[in-house]
Amino acid sequence: MKPIYALTMAALLAGAPLTQAAPAAAPAATVATPDAARVQAVQAMLEAMQSEKMMRSVAGASRYVNEGQRASVFAKLDKVAPQEIYKRLALPVARVIGVEAANELSAFYASDYGKRLLQQTYNSRASMFPPEPPVPNAAEKKMLKKPALVQARKELASADATIRHEAFALLQAIIKK
């Protein structure tokens, strides 16, 4: 074996973990057909989260053939009322977010800290690293430690990929119109 190859292999093996990593948190239980109360709670959560802005970020992250096509997609998206976006996203998202989590997240995003967090999320510039979240005051720190909110934020984090996928699917449906 050549010395460089042997050294490279040794370095790679030395850096490899010896044990298995802990499994990721299990995603929230999915429901095939959510009831009306669950859909309504998720719709209120999507409204509090300003999901129409999330749709714009999904559209902005998509690839387009040219700038004209990009402008066309944003024009079509601007014609859709925010209430329609909440309504159309509510059913698929309700399959992965529970009523308690949706209610807790609605209250969180309606709070001053939640609004500041959304402001920073949707109005920050594109960067390689996510921006630092706003600094909470003492009352907001206490609110962030509530077990129900902690669990709801974990549930939202585990459902994030599904929510983004559903937002992309909705964007595709809007574009086809």
Side-chain angles (χ1 to χ4, degrees):
M1 232 193 304
K2 294 184 179 181
I4 299 286
Y5 181 75
L7 287 173
T8 305
M9 289 303 291
L12 287 173
L13 289 174
L18 297 176
T19 61
Q20 291 280 341
T30 56
V31 176
T33 54
D35 61 347
R38 187 171 181 157
V39 172
Q40 190 65 30
V42 169
Q43 188 171 344
M45 177 195 76
L46 291 170
E47 185 174 351
M49 290 176 65
Q50 302 174 9
S51 296
E52 73 277 5
K53 293 178 181 176
M54 178 188 63
M55 291 291 295
R56 291 187 63 79
S57 72
V58 168
S62 299
R63 295 182 186 201
Y64 302 99
V65 175
N66 55 35
E67 195 59 36
Q69 186 184 24
R70 179 185 198 85
S72 171
V73 168
F74 277 98
K76 287 181 180 182
L77 191 56
D78 288 341
K79 291 179 183 177
V80 179
Q83 292 299 327
E84 184 178 343
I85 291 173
Y86 309 144
K87 183 179 177 184
R88 291 175 71 178
L89 275 178
L91 181 63
V93 173
R95 292 184 179 121
V96 293
I97 299 285
V99 175
E100 297 83 15
N103 290 335
E104 198 66 38
L105 290 167
S106 294
F108 171 70
Y109 285 115
S111 71
D112 289 337
Y113 181 75
K115 289 177 183 177
R116 288 196 322 259
L117 191 62
L118 287 173
Q119 173 74 17
Q120 181 188 25
T121 300
Y122 295 130
N123 295 322
S124 63
R125 295 179 10 192
S127 66
M128 191 173 238
F129 302 105
E132 291 293 320
V135 179
N137 61 29
E140 293 166 344
K141 283 182 183 178
K142 185 177 178 182
M143 174 191 64
L144 289 171
K145 291 181 182 178
K146 281 182 20 183
L149 181 59
V150 170
Q151 183 62 32
R153 291 182 76 187
K154 283 182 183 177
E155 192 172 327
L156 179 65
S158 68
D160 186 54
T162 302
I163 294 170
R164 290 269 174 190
H165 171 74
E166 294 300 337
F168 183 75
L170 177 59
L171 179 65
Q172 293 300 315
I174 290 170
I175 291 170
K176 287 181 182 177
K177 280 186 175 180

